[in-house]
Amino acid sequence: MIVILKQNYPEARLSTLKDWLKTLNIDIQMNKGTACTVLGLIGDTTNVDEDMLRALDFVDNVQRVSEPFKKANRKFHPEDTVVEVGGAKFGGDNKTVLIAGPCSVESEEQICGIAESVKAAGAQMLRGGAFKPRTSPYDFQGLRAEGLELLLKAKRLTGLPIVTEIMDISQLDLFADVDLIQVGARNMQNFELLKVLGRGNKPVLLKRGLANTIRELLMSAEYIMSGGNSNVILCERGIRTFETVTRNTLDLSAIPAVKELSHLPIIVDPSHATGAARFVRTMTLAATAAGAHGLIIEVHNNPSAALCDGPQSITPPQFEEIAGQVRKLEAAL
Amino acid sequence: MIVILKQNYPEARLSTLKDWLKTLNIDIQMNKGTACTVLGLIGDTTNVDEDMLRALDFVDNVQRVSEPFKKANRKFHPEDTVVEVGGAKFGGDNKTVLIAGPCSVESEEQICGIAESVKAAGAQMLRGGAFKPRTSPYDFQGLRAEGLELLLKAKRLTGLPIVTEIMDISQLDLFADVDLIQVGARNMQNFELLKVLGRGNKPVLLKRGLANTIRELLMSAEYIMSGGNSNVILCERGIRTFETVTRNTLDLSAIPAVKELSHLPIIVDPSHATGAARFVRTMTLAATAAGAHGLIIEVHNNPSAALCDGPQSITPPQFEEIAGQVRKLEAAL
Amino acid sequence: MIVILKQNYPEARLSTLKDWLKTLNIDIQMNKGTACTVLGLIGDTTNVDEDMLRALDFVDNVQRVSEPFKKANRKFHPEDTVVEVGGAKFGGDNKTVLIAGPCSVESEEQICGIAESVKAAGAQMLRGGAFKPRTSPYDFQGLRAEGLELLLKAKRLTGLPIVTEIMDISQLDLFADVDLIQVGARNMQNFELLKVLGRGNKPVLLKRGLANTIRELLMSAEYIMSGGNSNVILCERGIRTFETVTRNTLDLSAIPAVKELSHLPIIVDPSHATGAARFVRTMTLAATAAGAHGLIIEVHNNPSAALCDGPQSITPPQFEEIAGQVRKLEAAL
Amino acid sequence: MIVILKQNYPEARLSTLKDWLKTLNIDIQMNKGTACTVLGLIGDTTNVDEDMLRALDFVDNVQRVSEPFKKANRKFHPEDTVVEVGGAKFGGDNKTVLIAGPCSVESEEQICGIAESVKAAGAQMLRGGAFKPRTSPYDFQGLRAEGLELLLKAKRLTGLPIVTEIMDISQLDLFADVDLIQVGARNMQNFELLKVLGRGNKPVLLKRGLANTIRELLMSAEYIMSGGNSNVILCERGIRTFETVTRNTLDLSAIPAVKELSHLPIIVDPSHATGAARFVRTMTLAATAAGAHGLIIEVHNNPSAALCDGPQSITPPQFEEIAGQVRKLEAAL
């Protein structure tokens, strides 16, 4: 960490600062220039609060040389982390895991039917929303506890592990048999929820917030990991931009960027990112070529009747075709 | 609500749709054109799920003519709502309410000292963070329950009503004596939290999310209000843009825009928006000229030593000067 | 086009509006509702100025049902346009065209050396900047006219057609032997320049602006095409977002989106988008999988010594490897 | 400027770099740490190309301590610059200059009528567009040369100095009698145009680009000033954000930010920023309270009939009322 001091800093207060940093086992190297004086902080600066330093009135600026995340940082864990979820392996050199299912669980018939279809078409995991974050309180909020039960029925029927979204700490008990707990984009910085999930060891699928950076995503992963749970899978699901043809903008460069900065697996959600079924095939192939460790795709047996997010769902036959192309592409690269 | 159909829509399915809309007491007016056919939906369309209509494969687009929020909508409540918080009145023709205090509660001495200073300088409410949302798990997380107790001491000492942030439903019991519960920018779409707050009648200060629109802010207010609690105060606190001189970009046009769309009071937080103490005075005056119903300003008796967000805090004498200018400006307009 | 009227519109003025629209050969279908009255405008509304209608005080809103671009619109030209540039074919079912070369032309030795290297490695066109748009007036501005001459030498030497950027109308005469004239991101809405290029028939490479939407890109293409020049190739080169790991965010969903809305070819610039040589390979493959008609890649024989944009340049051997993978991937799909 | 080196930098190449920097009269102070080595560059680093340094493969990062603009920099010109335009004084302690007029010049009767109205209402300058940048080639492009002549007639009639937009270098001759040449938001980084304007001494009104930062705006001012023309007035006119109630988001914190970084005057355009006449009054007052050196406001004697941008125009009586409030507010502060 580099601390740039203002021109006329008070020697006495600087010396207090240095003493305090030494108590944190930080070595200090000082570089006095004509224009400015620079402190180089050497050691583990993870616990040094950047804002606190910046708050000092004789400090001009603070710049981290190393990233503020530690457990999620590839520098300290050069090997890829592989997260296993009921047989499916995310990360490392494992093949792209395909997760498929409807936006919302609507009925036993619906979720079981889709589960069987996507399994036959090559999916290794089932997705489906029980608790639904909706912008309007008047829109369908999901079947909630009942939806979770139906998902578990589909799991027992097909053997597919399931992933579904948690919206609040108070719902955690209901997730005992869920294989992968999803934290949605709107909750990426719900730090209290992240802390609680960090105390368990259940795998967590952490979605990137709509206007969050990759480093912020990794800091949120660090919240979970600092509690002891290192079973974290990241998910790129589109960010908010000025573009309107697609609902959000899928940031595929997040895949190589995350792989460079972190050892955690990263998957892609082309359905929410584009908001349009007709773009899902293309963006799935692009994500695969970009090296995604998995794909989470919305599939509905009757998209036009889906209670929510219908426009972004593809049908089981379309999913089967796409899955085939993903495998062909993986073989070629 | 206007529904634009595709050119060759199936008559039978359209007729099913019309029947369903009629069960919601919606009248339909149909306009058949050469290029497209348009349905006009007349009646209370609040409960019509826009996404569901858009999901239908014979629908080209859906456009709301009226806003999807109802209880927060000025159209249905032409009169300004005035929210009273321990004597302070937000909204309507009442004078701008001044809220001041430190970013974080640090000690009894600190919070009580600041409370007395800002009261003397003209503040009508005290702010102070006990639960702190921090990007890094290694940064100071606030004094939490202990911080709340210290805030309540400062309240008893000075008589100032207090506002402080809640981060999770599980903390609600601790907020019994808090006068105004703040929902932070990162939780603006924590819908489960909003629902719980909507069931009580404690005033809520709802901050706009970093990348959220004014309409989304009003939809979140609607979550609280649809539960029965109409004591909602909105807060503009800067949005994320590409600008880097200021931490966020304070969107002051949100003030007239909110006043047009809604009857709820709106206040401004110039400290978090700019992230710089030296810009607070100017933006406070601009917000007052723009018609803000209140201002929430960070004040610290020793900004350089503050545990967090120090760079954006002003001192009690600076606050006193600014408060004087606010009153002068109000008198002039 | 749909015009939504306010509740109490003046009959006389509406009738004047209708008469005026009829002079433009627009048919009007009127739909009177309880909440609002809607006019459906039928016919070629390209010449109807949306802003002018919106300006009328009895008009509430205006929504286009069809896109405001015509010559660039796939609806009116269902077949893919193929733009030929000195043997290279962009668009339709043609293979991805590979364009390679340095950011800036620096010397005869440099540009000729790179031209020979990239030709041997599979490139079909040579890129290189002579006029350079730089944020600072103190940064290297390109070799300008001299740089163009060196590029033409490299063209004569290798037979590769060349693409280079024009920054102002006054430079046009110098571009007589340039095969493809590039309009940079910062000039995407330099409408006077677009008009002049539209009067010729030289192929134009139109780059998407840093904060522009796909529809705005197509409207800029329309400026060129409405002048008579339909040899337009579009280029996605990253948009400005909050992300900082990459310089910009490459929006690969722009590829299927452009293909749906327009018949024009679209290529991708992974070098400027990511700003990092180490991400170029991955994003090139992703762009190929997404269906890009071409790729424009920065290659330098000595990236560390390049006068500008060095960090985003790869070496000729790296380019050769990537070109091989592109061909393998194309074969697989 | 601080250059952070990678851990194993090559001594020989570093020494070449140092020699080169010395030829630019830069002193180097080296700070060898365990984690990294930092070079402090002391002297005038304006001519040091940041990108070139970053391109070196043994350099990890480069950070400027001082801003890269020099002539626009307050550090080197502590006194406010006052730009005089036909009697109106922008900057320093001068009162807020009020510029008013229509979006587009439409006819002699229109522009002369409005000019007389706004002069009577307190405007010190007349605005009006002759060359209009429009997103669509099919929309009204302005009266162009004829429009300029009509503006000059209004100037002769009323004595008001005029400001109007240039779109291309080739139009410059027509601007001989224009008092203040406007460079629009879309041309803020049209560097060739800026260079040409920098060679004259005619005052330039430089508008901030839709997605540009304040530092980028100042770098564009530097382009003009480095050519010798220091008569530059900056203009905040709203930036692109996700908000849709207003057309753009007016960034009023740009006013104190520009005043801190630069000595140049800064004015505000509330009409284009909000895109709505009903918000103009409020945002004009807020801009005044924030310390704007001037305001450029759209006024039309018949907004509903205006050929473009009608929704954002106010009437002469509304302008008169606002002008009165601006003066009252100035007196109070």
Side-chain angles (χ1 to χ4, degrees):
Chain A
M1 191 182 275
I2 287 167
V3 181
I4 302 165
L5 302 184
K6 287 187 184 159
Q7 262 168 325
N8 300 306
Y9 56 86
E11 291 288 355
R13 296 189 57 204
L14 178 61
S15 140
T16 313
L17 174 65
K18 283 175 165 179
D19 290 347
W20 176 72
L21 287 168
K22 276 171 199 157
T23 66
L24 298 173
N25 287 318
I26 306 288
D27 270 345
I28 298 154
Q29 298 196 333
M30 197 157 161
N31 177 17
K32 252 182 152 154
T34 322
C36 73
T37 299
V38 176
L39 302 184
L41 272 49
I42 317 296
D44 178 5
T45 57
T46 321
N47 299 299
V48 178
D49 193 327
E50 212 175 316
D51 286 337
M52 248 170 75
L53 289 180
R54 203 171 272 127
L56 297 166
D57 52 17
F58 58 95
V59 167
D60 193 44
N61 205 355
V62 178
Q63 200 200 359
R64 284 197 179 273
V65 175
S66 55
E67 301 289 350
F69 45 91
K70 200 171 163 178
K71 293 186 185 284
N73 200 327
R74 182 173 288 276
K75 208 173 275 175
F76 307 119
H77 298 73
E79 308 244 314
D80 287 345
T81 285
V82 174
V83 178
E84 283 208 47
V85 183
K89 288 179 187 174
F90 293 86
D93 296 329
N94 292 291
K95 280 194 174 179
T96 304
V97 179
L98 296 175
I99 310 173
C103 176
S104 294
V105 178
E106 295 165 30
S107 67
E108 181 173 340
E109 194 194 348
Q110 174 243 22
I111 189 66
C112 289
I114 294 178
E116 289 186 314
S117 299
V118 298
K119 188 185 179 183
Q124 293 135 278
M125 276 189 70
L126 177 67
R127 58 149 291 154
F131 295 94
K132 301 296 304 172
R134 303 300 303 273
T135 307
S136 166
Y138 309 115
D139 284 348
F140 175 59
Q141 307 275 316
L143 292 183
R144 303 177 67 89
E146 189 198 334
L148 265 183
E149 275 175 42
L150 297 180
L151 256 183
L152 290 169
K153 273 196 187 166
K155 174 185 174 177
R156 285 190 296 269
L157 178 75
T158 59
L160 288 179
I162 59 174
V163 54
T164 193
E165 181 168 352
I166 193 169
M167 281 179 66
D168 188 75
I169 296 174
S170 59
Q171 299 158 354
L172 192 58
D173 287 347
L174 296 168
F175 282 69
D177 295 325
V178 169
D179 302 277
L180 177 61
I181 303 181
Q182 176 179 315
V183 174
R186 286 177 189 76
N187 276 317
M188 190 200 91
Q189 294 194 318
N190 183 335
F191 300 123
E192 300 295 311
L193 176 60
L194 299 179
K195 280 182 199 171
V196 168
L197 295 174
R199 278 177 223 136
N201 63 353
K202 178 84 80 181
V204 177
L205 180 64
L206 181 64
K207 288 195 149 188
R208 180 178 180 183
L210 265 86
N212 286 109
T213 64
I214 292 166
R215 283 192 176 89
E216 287 169 343
L217 174 63
L218 291 171
M219 285 311 301
S220 287
E222 189 79 12
Y223 257 98
I224 300 170
M225 298 175 84
S226 68
N229 186 356
S230 55
N231 294 310
V232 179
I233 301 169
L234 305 170
C235 181
E236 161 61 33
R237 45 79 72 216
I239 51 175
R240 200 166 240 199
T241 68
F242 305 130
E243 187 48 57
T244 54
V245 178
T246 46
R247 187 165 54 182
N248 294 121
T249 295
L250 187 61
D251 176 10
L252 288 180
S253 44
I255 300 173
V258 160
K259 286 185 175 178
E260 180 180 69
L261 293 168
S262 177
H263 51 91
L264 294 174
I266 174 154
I267 71 169
V268 167
D269 178 344
S271 306
H272 279 86
T274 61
R278 64 194 190 282
F279 294 147
V280 166
R281 191 190 66 85
T282 306
M283 297 320 288
T284 297
L285 296 181
T288 306
H293 291 120
L295 287 147
I296 179 160
I297 298 173
E298 275 192 23
V299 179
H300 200 283
N301 43 15
N302 186 6
S304 285
L307 284 174
C308 86
D309 284 337
Q312 71 206 18
S313 290
I314 57 172
T315 59
Q318 288 171 326
F319 174 69
E320 188 162 10
E321 192 200 331
I322 292 173
Q325 290 182 306
V326 166
R327 297 309 172 202
K328 230 186 275 180
L329 200 151
E330 282 186 312
L333 292 176
Chain B
M1 189 181 276
I2 288 167
V3 181
I4 302 165
L5 302 184
K6 287 188 184 156
Q7 263 169 324
N8 301 306
Y9 58 85
E11 292 286 355
R13 295 191 55 205
L14 177 60
S15 139
T16 313
L17 174 65
K18 284 173 164 180
D19 291 346
W20 176 74
L21 287 168
K22 276 171 200 157
T23 66
L24 298 172
N25 287 319
I26 306 288
D27 269 347
I28 298 153
Q29 297 195 332
M30 197 157 160
N31 177 15
K32 252 184 152 151
T34 323
C36 72
T37 299
V38 176
L39 302 185
L41 270 49
I42 317 296
D44 177 5
T45 58
T46 321
N47 299 299
V48 178
D49 193 328
E50 212 176 315
D51 287 336
M52 247 170 76
L53 289 181
R54 203 170 273 126
L56 297 165
D57 51 17
F58 58 96
V59 167
D60 193 40
N61 204 357
V62 179
Q63 200 200 358
R64 284 197 179 271
V65 175
S66 55
E67 302 288 349
F69 46 92
K70 198 171 166 179
K71 294 185 185 282
N73 200 326
R74 183 173 288 276
K75 208 173 274 173
F76 307 119
H77 298 74
E79 307 245 315
D80 288 344
T81 285
V82 175
V83 178
E84 281 207 48
V85 182
K89 289 179 186 172
F90 293 86
D93 296 330
N94 292 291
K95 280 195 174 178
T96 306
V97 179
L98 296 176
I99 310 173
C103 177
S104 292
V105 178
E106 294 166 32
S107 67
E108 183 174 340
E109 194 195 348
Q110 174 244 18
I111 189 67
C112 289
I114 296 178
E116 291 185 315
S117 299
V118 299
K119 189 186 177 184
Q124 292 135 277
M125 276 189 72
L126 176 69
R127 56 150 292 152
F131 296 95
K132 301 297 304 173
R134 302 300 304 272
T135 308
S136 165
Y138 308 116
D139 285 348
F140 175 59
Q141 308 276 313
L143 291 183
R144 303 177 67 90
E146 189 199 335
L148 264 183
E149 276 175 41
L150 297 180
L151 257 183
L152 290 170
K153 273 194 188 167
K155 174 184 173 176
R156 284 191 296 268
L157 179 73
T158 59
L160 288 178
I162 58 174
V163 55
T164 193
E165 180 168 352
I166 193 168
M167 283 179 64
D168 188 74
I169 296 174
S170 60
Q171 300 158 352
L172 193 57
D173 287 346
L174 297 167
F175 282 68
D177 295 323
V178 170
D179 302 278
L180 178 61
I181 302 181
Q182 176 178 313
V183 174
R186 287 177 186 77
N187 275 317
M188 191 199 92
Q189 294 193 320
N190 183 335
F191 301 122
E192 298 297 311
L193 176 60
L194 300 179
K195 280 182 199 169
V196 168
L197 295 174
R199 278 176 223 135
N201 64 351
K202 177 83 82 182
V204 177
L205 180 63
L206 182 64
K207 288 195 147 188
R208 181 178 179 184
L210 266 86
N212 286 109
T213 64
I214 292 167
R215 282 193 177 88
E216 286 167 344
L217 173 63
L218 291 171
M219 286 312 299
S220 286
E222 189 80 11
Y223 257 97
I224 300 171
M225 298 175 85
S226 68
N229 185 355
S230 56
N231 294 309
V232 179
I233 301 169
L234 305 171
C235 182
E236 161 61 34
R237 44 81 69 218
I239 52 176
R240 202 166 239 199
T241 68
F242 304 129
E243 186 48 57
T244 55
V245 177
T246 46
R247 187 165 54 182
N248 294 122
T249 295
L250 186 61
D251 176 12
L252 287 180
S253 45
I255 301 173
V258 160
K259 286 185 175 178
E260 180 179 71
L261 293 169
S262 177
H263 51 92
L264 294 175
I266 173 154
I267 72 169
V268 167
D269 178 345
S271 306
H272 280 85
T274 62
R278 65 194 190 282
F279 293 147
V280 166
R281 190 189 68 85
T282 306
M283 298 320 288
T284 297
L285 296 181
T288 306
H293 292 117
L295 287 147
I296 179 161
I297 299 174
E298 275 191 25
V299 180
H300 201 282
N301 42 15
N302 186 5
S304 285
L307 284 173
C308 85
D309 283 339
Q312 72 206 19
S313 290
I314 57 173
T315 59
Q318 289 171 327
F319 174 70
E320 189 163 8
E321 192 201 331
I322 293 173
Q325 291 182 307
V326 166
R327 296 310 172 200
K328 230 185 277 179
L329 201 150
E330 282 185 312
L333 292 175
Chain C
M1 189 182 276
I2 288 167
V3 181
I4 302 165
L5 303 183
K6 287 186 183 158
Q7 262 168 325
N8 300 307
Y9 58 86
E11 292 286 355
R13 296 190 57 204
L14 178 61
S15 141
T16 312
L17 173 65
K18 284 175 165 177
D19 290 346
W20 176 72
L21 286 168
K22 275 172 199 157
T23 66
L24 298 173
N25 288 318
I26 306 288
D27 270 346
I28 298 152
Q29 298 197 331
M30 197 159 161
N31 177 15
K32 253 183 153 151
T34 323
C36 73
T37 299
V38 175
L39 301 185
L41 270 48
I42 316 295
D44 177 6
T45 58
T46 321
N47 299 299
V48 177
D49 193 327
E50 212 175 316
D51 286 336
M52 250 171 74
L53 289 180
R54 203 170 273 127
L56 297 166
D57 51 18
F58 57 95
V59 167
D60 193 41
N61 205 356
V62 179
Q63 201 200 0
R64 283 198 179 272
V65 176
S66 55
E67 302 290 349
F69 46 92
K70 199 172 163 179
K71 293 187 186 282
N73 200 325
R74 182 173 290 276
K75 209 175 272 174
F76 306 120
H77 299 74
E79 306 245 315
D80 287 345
T81 283
V82 175
V83 178
E84 281 208 45
V85 183
K89 289 178 186 172
F90 293 85
D93 296 329
N94 292 291
K95 279 193 175 180
T96 305
V97 179
L98 296 175
I99 309 173
C103 176
S104 292
V105 178
E106 294 166 31
S107 68
E108 184 174 339
E109 195 194 347
Q110 174 242 19
I111 188 68
C112 289
I114 296 178
E116 291 186 314
S117 298
V118 299
K119 189 186 177 183
Q124 291 135 280
M125 276 189 73
L126 177 68
R127 57 150 291 153
F131 295 95
K132 301 296 304 172
R134 303 299 304 271
T135 307
S136 166
Y138 307 116
D139 284 349
F140 176 60
Q141 307 276 315
L143 292 183
R144 301 176 67 91
E146 190 199 332
L148 265 182
E149 275 175 42
L150 297 180
L151 256 183
L152 290 170
K153 274 195 187 166
K155 174 184 173 177
R156 285 190 297 268
L157 179 73
T158 59
L160 288 178
I162 59 173
V163 56
T164 193
E165 181 168 354
I166 193 168
M167 282 178 66
D168 189 75
I169 296 173
S170 59
Q171 299 158 353
L172 191 58
D173 287 346
L174 297 168
F175 282 69
D177 295 325
V178 169
D179 302 277
L180 177 61
I181 302 182
Q182 177 178 316
V183 174
R186 286 175 188 78
N187 277 316
M188 191 199 92
Q189 294 193 320
N190 183 336
F191 301 123
E192 298 296 310
L193 177 59
L194 300 179
K195 280 182 199 170
V196 169
L197 295 174
R199 278 177 222 132
N201 64 352
K202 180 84 78 181
V204 177
L205 180 63
L206 181 65
K207 288 195 148 189
R208 181 178 181 185
L210 265 86
N212 286 108
T213 64
I214 292 167
R215 283 193 176 89
E216 287 168 342
L217 174 63
L218 291 171
M219 285 312 299
S220 286
E222 189 79 12
Y223 257 96
I224 301 170
M225 298 175 84
S226 67
N229 185 356
S230 56
N231 293 310
V232 180
I233 301 169
L234 305 170
C235 182
E236 161 62 32
R237 45 80 70 220
I239 51 174
R240 201 166 239 200
T241 68
F242 304 130
E243 187 49 57
T244 56
V245 177
T246 46
R247 187 165 54 181
N248 293 122
T249 295
L250 187 61
D251 176 11
L252 287 180
S253 44
I255 301 173
V258 161
K259 287 184 175 178
E260 179 179 71
L261 292 168
S262 178
H263 51 92
L264 294 174
I266 175 155
I267 72 169
V268 168
D269 178 344
S271 305
H272 280 84
T274 61
R278 64 194 191 283
F279 294 148
V280 166
R281 191 190 67 86
T282 305
M283 297 320 288
T284 297
L285 297 180
T288 307
H293 292 119
L295 286 147
I296 180 160
I297 298 174
E298 274 191 25
V299 180
H300 200 283
N301 43 15
N302 186 6
S304 285
L307 284 174
C308 85
D309 283 340
Q312 72 206 19
S313 290
I314 57 172
T315 59
Q318 288 170 326
F319 174 70
E320 188 163 9
E321 192 200 332
I322 292 173
Q325 291 182 307
V326 166
R327 297 309 171 204
K328 229 185 275 178
L329 200 151
E330 281 186 313
L333 293 174
Chain D
M1 190 182 275
I2 288 167
V3 181
I4 303 164
L5 302 184
K6 288 187 183 157
Q7 263 169 323
N8 300 306
Y9 57 85
E11 292 286 355
R13 296 189 57 205
L14 177 60
S15 142
T16 312
L17 174 65
K18 284 173 166 180
D19 291 345
W20 177 73
L21 287 168
K22 276 171 201 158
T23 66
L24 297 173
N25 287 319
I26 306 287
D27 270 346
I28 298 153
Q29 297 195 331
M30 197 159 162
N31 178 16
K32 254 187 150 150
T34 322
C36 73
T37 299
V38 175
L39 301 184
L41 271 48
I42 317 294
D44 178 5
T45 58
T46 321
N47 299 299
V48 178
D49 193 327
E50 211 176 315
D51 286 338
M52 248 170 74
L53 289 181
R54 202 170 273 127
L56 297 166
D57 51 18
F58 58 94
V59 167
D60 193 41
N61 205 355
V62 178
Q63 200 200 357
R64 284 197 179 271
V65 176
S66 54
E67 302 289 349
F69 46 93
K70 199 172 163 180
K71 294 186 185 283
N73 199 326
R74 183 175 287 277
K75 209 175 273 175
F76 307 119
H77 298 72
E79 307 245 313
D80 286 345
T81 285
V82 174
V83 178
E84 282 207 47
V85 182
K89 290 179 185 172
F90 293 86
D93 296 330
N94 292 291
K95 281 194 173 179
T96 305
V97 179
L98 295 175
I99 309 172
C103 178
S104 294
V105 179
E106 293 166 32
S107 68
E108 183 175 339
E109 194 195 349
Q110 174 244 17
I111 188 67
C112 290
I114 296 178
E116 291 186 312
S117 299
V118 298
K119 189 187 177 184
Q124 292 135 277
M125 278 189 68
L126 177 67
R127 58 149 292 154
F131 295 96
K132 302 296 305 171
R134 302 299 304 273
T135 307
S136 165
Y138 307 116
D139 284 349
F140 175 59
Q141 307 275 315
L143 292 183
R144 303 176 67 91
E146 190 199 334
L148 265 182
E149 275 174 42
L150 297 179
L151 256 183
L152 290 169
K153 273 194 189 169
K155 174 185 172 177
R156 284 190 296 269
L157 180 72
T158 59
L160 289 178
I162 58 173
V163 54
T164 193
E165 180 168 353
I166 193 169
M167 282 178 66
D168 188 74
I169 296 174
S170 59
Q171 300 157 352
L172 192 58
D173 287 346
L174 297 168
F175 282 69
D177 295 323
V178 169
D179 302 278
L180 177 62
I181 303 182
Q182 176 178 314
V183 175
R186 288 176 187 76
N187 276 317
M188 191 199 91
Q189 294 194 318
N190 183 336
F191 301 122
E192 299 295 311
L193 177 60
L194 300 180
K195 280 182 199 171
V196 168
L197 295 174
R199 279 178 222 135
N201 63 352
K202 179 83 81 181
V204 177
L205 180 64
L206 181 64
K207 289 196 148 187
R208 180 178 180 184
L210 267 86
N212 285 110
T213 64
I214 293 167
R215 283 193 176 89
E216 287 168 344
L217 174 63
L218 291 171
M219 286 311 301
S220 286
E222 189 79 11
Y223 257 98
I224 300 171
M225 298 175 84
S226 67
N229 185 357
S230 55
N231 294 310
V232 179
I233 301 169
L234 306 170
C235 183
E236 160 63 32
R237 44 79 71 220
I239 51 175
R240 199 166 241 198
T241 68
F242 305 129
E243 186 48 58
T244 55
V245 177
T246 47
R247 187 166 53 181
N248 293 123
T249 295
L250 186 61
D251 176 10
L252 287 180
S253 44
I255 300 173
V258 161
K259 286 185 175 178
E260 180 179 70
L261 294 169
S262 178
H263 50 93
L264 295 174
I266 173 154
I267 72 169
V268 167
D269 178 344
S271 305
H272 280 85
T274 61
R278 66 195 191 280
F279 294 146
V280 167
R281 192 190 67 86
T282 305
M283 297 320 288
T284 296
L285 296 181
T288 305
H293 292 120
L295 286 147
I296 180 162
I297 298 175
E298 275 191 24
V299 180
H300 201 282
N301 43 14
N302 186 5
S304 286
L307 284 173
C308 83
D309 283 338
Q312 72 206 21
S313 290
I314 58 173
T315 59
Q318 289 170 326
F319 174 70
E320 189 163 9
E321 191 201 332
I322 292 173
Q325 292 182 306
V326 166
R327 296 309 171 203
K328 231 186 275 180
L329 200 150
E330 281 186 312
L333 292 175

